[in-house]
Amino acid sequence: MASTGTWKEIGEATLTRQSLEALLRNEIPAIRIRNFATAAECAGFAKAVEDTDYKFYSVAKKVGYIGLAQIEYRWNRPKADYFKDAAVAYEQLNDLQNRSFDVINRLMETLQAVAGGTVKIAEEAELGRYYAGIARIAAEGVDLHADWAPLNSPTYDIARIDGQLGWNFYAQELIEGGDTTVYNAPWTPDCAPGEIPKSYGLDYAIVEGAKTFTFNPNTADVVIFNTRNPHEIAAGVAGPGRNRISIGSFVGRMPNNDLVLWS
Ligand SMILES: O=C(O)CCC(=O)C(=O)O
Ligand SMILES: [Fe+2]
């Protein structure tokens, strides 16, 4: 059965200390930061992505990406492999940002201006820094999924968070479509202790009757939402210089109030 939901109001908020905390408590659907980047920065970032030799996720809908997702290591892969690969993935991200602008740092500074705790890249004791910042080219959409580290990554330090957000900066938009829909039915799958459930291609039964919020990924904006809510991206119409090009990461709140980033 779908949950009755937790949103107290529907709509996009601007970024303030209050809205950030409300989003972490899942009381509002989204925060939009308009004009996070200039038109020239957006064009520069989109070009830098297109000029990179990017990979595709092995799912039915084609999603091109640059970067590394921790979730890819959740089943039967040693933690040390992830942190080793994270260091390599940063080389490509640094190269990409050097050819355009440092989106991750700007986002961290923007959040820090309103955050209660310290905003930083997540770290694992003795193993190192998590990777944060996956760029995506996603004209065909992304299926219903939820991102919630306590269930996706139970043996990692990020499992200790009490709220998970996802932010995305949209550097280029489609001619039409590509909206993101968030369902206010915080993901609470049935699973045995220690079992890591599948989190992608979720059954629509879990969001039945839930409040929904759909937003447009407008060029130059950052939109932040609570990723424990199942969400999906609609397919759209691409054209020359018109694709759905974004970069983003998760932000989790740790017990000491720090906000940590990873992808
Ligand atoms: O690109 C988007 O609008 C959302 C991407 C997503 O699934 C996420 O940030 O968790
Ligand atoms: Fe997601």
Side-chain angles (χ1 to χ4, degrees):
M1 204 188 74
S3 119
T4 52
T6 53
W7 292 341
K8 296 186 171 161
E9 51 193 89
I10 307 281
E12 290 172 1
T14 56
L15 178 66
T16 64
R17 166 87 62 117
Q18 289 72 27
S19 67
L20 189 61
E21 284 175 3
L23 197 62
L24 281 157
R25 289 193 301 268
N26 206 3
E27 291 174 1
I28 58 170
I31 292 172
R32 183 183 292 265
I33 307 170
R34 281 199 192 282
N35 300 317
F36 178 79
T38 65
E41 286 170 335
C42 291
F45 188 84
K47 182 172 187 319
V49 168
E50 283 159 352
D51 290 348
T52 302
D53 181 24
Y54 54 83
K55 297 174 282 217
F56 290 90
Y57 283 119
S58 49
V59 290
K61 290 174 182 157
K62 251 177 120 190
V63 180
Y65 73 99
I66 296 161
L68 186 73
Q70 189 280 318
I71 203 176
E72 302 275 324
Y73 293 73
R74 71 182 136 168
W75 291 307
N76 309 320
R77 302 220 28 207
K79 265 170 131 174
D81 283 9
Y82 166 68
F83 289 98
K84 214 166 64 210
D85 294 351
V88 176
Y90 269 121
E91 292 172 20
Q92 197 176 36
L93 178 68
N94 291 342
D95 174 58
L96 171 70
Q97 296 200 124
N98 286 341
R99 282 182 284 122
S100 49
F101 74 103
D102 193 337
V103 184
I104 308 298
N105 215 29
R106 184 177 303 178
L107 186 282
M108 287 174 63
E109 285 173 0
T110 306
L111 284 186
Q112 189 62 75
V114 298
T118 303
V119 178
K120 56 186 193 190
I121 304 289
E123 273 179 46
E124 197 83 351
E126 277 148 49
L127 287 170
R129 242 176 10 142
Y130 286 70
Y131 178 83
I134 296 185
R136 288 195 189 81
I137 306 95
E140 296 180 17
V142 173
D143 287 336
L144 188 68
H145 68 278
D147 307 295
W148 177 233
L151 286 170
N152 287 337
S153 317
T155 65
Y156 285 70
D157 210 35
I158 48 171
R160 298 192 297 127
I161 60 165
D162 70 356
Q164 181 168 341
L165 310 180
W167 65 271
N168 288 280
F169 161 63
Y170 303 103
Q172 194 181 89
E173 63 190 65
L174 295 163
I175 295 167
E176 191 186 301
D179 287 358
T180 304
T181 296
V182 186
Y183 296 83
N184 188 209
W187 189 48
T188 314
D190 288 325
C191 56
E195 180 194 328
I196 304 177
K198 86 162 197 174
S199 59
Y200 185 85
L202 296 173
D203 193 320
Y204 280 90
I206 66 164
V207 296
E208 203 188 310
K211 286 181 192 153
T212 67
F213 183 73
T214 298
F215 67 83
N216 197 303
N218 298 112
T219 301
D221 292 356
V222 163
V223 179
I224 318 174
F225 61 93
N226 190 307
T227 57
R228 187 174 179 178
N229 294 312
H231 48 282
E232 65 188 334
I233 302 173
V237 181
R242 299 295 297 275
N243 211 320
R244 192 184 192 286
I245 301 181
S246 63
I247 184 168
S249 82
F250 301 121
V251 179
R253 181 169 58 191
M254 296 297 276
N256 69 355
N257 228 22
D258 282 353
L259 294 180
V260 299
L261 276 72
W262 80 94
S263 282

